[in-house]
Amino acid sequence: VQAGVSEAFGSGASGEGGAVDADQAFASRLAVGTGVGTNGSYHATHVAGTVGGDGALSASHGGTANQWRGMAAAVDMFSYPAGGTWSTSYGEAIGTYGIDISTNSWVNSISEASGNCDDYGNYYSGHDNIITDQYSWSEPITIVVANGNERDDGDCALDPDPPYPNYGTVPPPATGKNIISVGAIRGQDNSMSTFSSWGPTDDGRIKPDICAPGVNVQSTWTGDNYGTMSGTSMACPAVA
């Protein structure tokens, strides 16, 4: 299986961005695609570890043997930016590397300061056009997208108090129709996290499509380390 790992990179998108670090957990199974910076990102590396880390360094970092192995420890991975020209990034990932799955731990940034609060729930066609093979370089691959961590941020006139009953807080690109959007639950008891965005979208579709553990997830970190993070960015690669 070939997996594309897309990260926010540049303005207008959030997700911490950057390239997957050349971690021992990926060995020769990781390639950095066109358009990604050379500096390894802790966020991208954490995401990639959940997809396909081999867990070999778990015991030497305080865990048990292979404890923090990813979901598909033999997968080949290709690191790409979320921004830039998709005909370059997806075109290369599909045409050159033949990816089967693309996991996307990024969302469009929405805030009162940016004046784009109305973007919550707006339909996003970008990934759908790839999935439905609308371009000369596209193929009907599976695209998995983080559903966003907007529910408890208190911005855009959202209720700032628990339990954060803020519906309609899904940012693009998780609003696509043919993608799989992933919310975050607590793996300890399968309860909903406080931050995971809720639908519906503006056209009435239920979001997220599925949920996975995304609270205090242990995975690979830059410098051949392991670290803990929370977010739909952490849940998304578990589904992909």
Side-chain angles (χ1 to χ4, degrees):
V1 175
Q2 320 292 320
V5 180
S6 292
E7 282 288 317
F9 187 75
S11 62
S14 60
E16 305 306 330
V20 177
D21 196 32
D23 197 286
Q24 289 185 31
F26 315 132
S28 61
R29 296 181 292 109
L30 171 69
V32 176
T34 300
V36 184
T38 56
N39 293 330
S41 158
Y42 67 89
H43 185 274
T45 304
H46 195 281
V47 168
T50 300
V51 173
D54 65 10
L57 298 179
S58 300
S60 64
H61 286 78
T64 58
N66 300 321
Q67 180 178 358
W68 299 311
R69 180 169 48 196
M71 302 299 290
V75 70
D76 292 325
M77 294 182 288
F78 307 93
S79 176
Y80 284 96
T85 304
W86 280 12
S87 59
T88 299
S89 57
Y90 270 102
E92 179 179 274
I94 294 170
T96 301
Y97 297 121
I99 65 167
D100 305 288
I101 300 168
S102 169
T103 182
N104 295 264
S105 287
W106 62 276
V107 298
N108 287 352
S109 181
I110 297 176
S111 68
E112 291 178 10
S114 300
N116 62 344
C117 293
D118 288 343
D119 285 358
Y120 281 131
N122 282 357
Y123 171 61
Y124 183 85
S125 63
H127 288 131
D128 285 351
N129 290 336
I130 295 173
I131 295 167
T132 56
D133 200 11
Q134 298 298 305
Y135 305 115
S136 60
W137 45 265
S138 61
E139 293 287 346
I141 62 172
T142 299
I143 298 181
V144 187
V145 180
N147 203 59
N149 309 320
E150 313 291 313
R151 209 176 84 247
D152 66 349
D153 70 6
D155 200 11
C156 291
L158 300 181
D159 189 329
D161 299 317
Y164 309 108
N166 296 309
Y167 294 91
T169 54
V170 178
T175 51
K177 293 182 178 180
N178 297 300
I179 56 98
I180 301 171
S181 62
V182 185
I185 58 174
R186 295 182 180 88
Q188 298 86 346
D189 59 9
N190 293 332
S191 63
M192 176 53 62
S193 65
T194 59
F195 54 80
S196 189
S197 293
W198 287 346
T201 60
D202 285 353
D203 55 6
R205 286 174 292 117
I206 295 172
K207 289 287 181 176
D209 298 309
I210 194 170
C211 289
V215 178
N216 296 329
V217 175
Q218 186 86 345
S219 186
T220 47
W221 204 263
T222 53
D224 289 327
N225 290 311
Y226 288 91
T228 300
M229 294 187 72
S230 297
T232 56
S233 285
M234 286 61 254
C236 178
V239 171

